[in-house]
Structures are given as structure tokens and as C-alpha cells.
Amino acid sequence: MAKGKTTPERKAKPPLMPKAITIDPTTIVASVGKAFRVLELFNQNHRKITLTQIAAVAEMDLSSTQRFVNTLVHLRYLQKDPASRLYSLSCRVLELGHHYLESNELIERATPHLQRLSKDTEETVNLSVLDDDDIVLVARLVSRNVLRPEITVGARIPAFLSASGHVLLSGLDDNHLRARLAASNVADVISADAVLAQCHHVRSQGYSRVS
């Protein structure tokens, strides 16, 4: 849980990190991965795009792209504007996120504590989880003092650059942290020593703070 940008983030002890799951590549359906690749390319920079653009960004041939897009339109995860022939995400995509929020036990258990903390401090309170080298906001109570809450549930923030990320990363050993940072896309923004110092602080004091 995090409270604003400069408020300490408290945790009784470093979290246990989930073990990586190894899956036999022969059991993976490649076409499912390609379908999700199409869905994931839609964002703030690609809100409405043509079939040709989808094929180019997804790095697939046009014929395959058309089959995947038609399937996603049929399933109502994509929608097509008949006039402009542009594709965009449909509101049905939100159902997947909604199901996650409704079924997640961590969110269910944490919500009363988030509500109490938000009421007591009148500050914005977040609940985040670690996903690869990012933290993802899975719950957020915005302070009434925030006029434009630009960060919303589902937002991704580099774990190495955030207080919540330092708390979650503190469960890793130092060698793993160094290797993980070296392989990340923020290695040129923050040093391994700075990350380690923050994680050591979390382990000893139970919270992290960034300005």
C-alpha cells in the first residue's frame, strides 16, 4: 500500500516473492498469444487503427492479422467503424479487468484497510502488485485534494523507481536485484546501489519513501 508520493509506505516484513512458473513450450498455443498481441497494441498512441497498421505493429502478415482481428470483432473485444474502417477496443475488454478485481483475494482483504487509511490521512492510497519489473495499481482511493487523478487502476509504474516497488522488490536478494535491474529498461536512470539502499531501508525500517 502506498499513500501519496512522500508518505512512508509501511510493511511489517519483506514480502515473499512468487516463484517463477516454467511452462513446457510444446503445451503453448501460439495463436492465443498472437490474439493477445493484437489486443495489447491498442493504447493511448494507437486508439483507432487500420488493419494494415495492426499487422505492421503486431509484426504479422496481413492475412493472419485479418483472421485474428475478425475473430476478436466476432467475440466483441474489438469494434470496427464501418465508415472509417478503423478498429478500436470495445468496452467488453473491461470485463476481464472487472473479473480480476472481483475475484482477487488480496484486493478484497486490503480494501477495508485502504478505506480506513484514506479516511484517516485524507491522502491518496494505493495497493500495488509486482509484475515483472513493474508495479501495477490494483486498487486506488484518490484524495479529494487531487484535482486530476491521472493515474488509475491498471496503471504500470517501473518498480525500481517507486516506493511501492522498493517494498515489493525488497523480498529479493541483492544479487538477484542487481541482475534484474541490469536487464531492465531503467538501468540508465537509477543505479543499482540506489535501489539496494532503498531495499535495505525497507528491510530494516519497514517502509520506503521517494520524492
Side-chain angles (χ1 to χ4, degrees):
M1 284 175 265
K3 180 182 64 172
K5 288 187 176 180
T6 60
T7 304
E9 181 165 345
R10 300 194 172 276
K11 201 165 185 69
K13 56 183 179 180
L16 295 175
M17 302 299 295
K19 294 182 178 180
I21 299 176
T22 302
I23 298 177
D24 181 358
T26 63
T27 66
I28 295 175
V29 180
S31 59
V32 176
K34 291 180 180 179
F36 274 96
R37 190 193 310 172
V38 170
L39 288 175
E40 290 172 351
L41 65 84
F42 288 89
N43 53 36
Q44 189 174 13
N45 298 322
H46 300 101
R47 297 180 179 182
K48 295 182 178 182
I49 53 181
T50 65
L51 183 67
T52 302
Q53 290 172 321
I54 294 174
V57 177
E59 298 181 343
M60 297 191 302
D61 64 79
L62 192 59
S63 177
S64 297
T65 302
Q66 185 172 39
R67 291 195 294 272
F68 283 111
V69 168
N70 285 346
T71 301
L72 292 169
V73 170
H74 174 71
L75 296 174
R76 296 186 292 115
Y77 287 107
L78 288 182
Q79 55 191 8
K80 180 181 179 181
D81 185 326
S84 65
R85 304 180 68 82
L86 294 176
Y87 294 90
S88 60
L89 294 177
S90 77
C91 61
R92 190 174 189 187
V93 174
L94 287 174
E95 289 186 27
L96 296 176
H98 182 64
H99 293 327
Y100 171 83
L101 297 177
E102 280 194 322
S103 62
N104 188 277
E105 187 176 355
L106 173 63
I107 298 174
E108 181 181 6
R109 292 187 176 188
T111 296
H113 302 287
L114 295 172
Q115 293 172 334
R116 183 167 59 253
L117 185 58
S118 177
K119 180 180 179 181
D120 292 344
T121 64
E122 296 187 352
E123 294 285 351
T124 296
V125 179
N126 303 318
L127 176 66
S128 307
V129 296
L130 189 65
D131 186 39
D132 290 332
D133 291 330
D134 296 327
I135 61 166
V136 180
L137 269 61
V138 296
R140 179 171 171 84
L141 300 181
V142 180
S143 167
R144 61 183 178 182
N145 299 320
V146 177
L147 299 179
R148 297 181 61 187
E150 297 177 353
I151 300 178
T152 59
V153 169
R156 283 181 172 269
I157 302 172
F160 295 106
L161 305 180
S162 65
S164 295
H166 295 154
V167 170
L168 295 170
L169 289 169
S170 66
L172 300 175
D173 63 67
D174 289 358
N175 290 333
H176 192 167
L177 278 171
R178 286 185 181 276
R180 194 161 180 168
L181 178 60
S184 75
N185 56 6
V186 298
D188 57 344
V189 178
I190 188 170
S191 69
D193 289 340
V195 173
L196 289 174
Q198 288 285 357
C199 290
H200 291 168
H201 179 81
V202 172
R203 294 168 190 162
S204 63
Q205 302 298 320
Y207 66 87
S208 177
R209 176 185 298 191
V210 296
S211 59

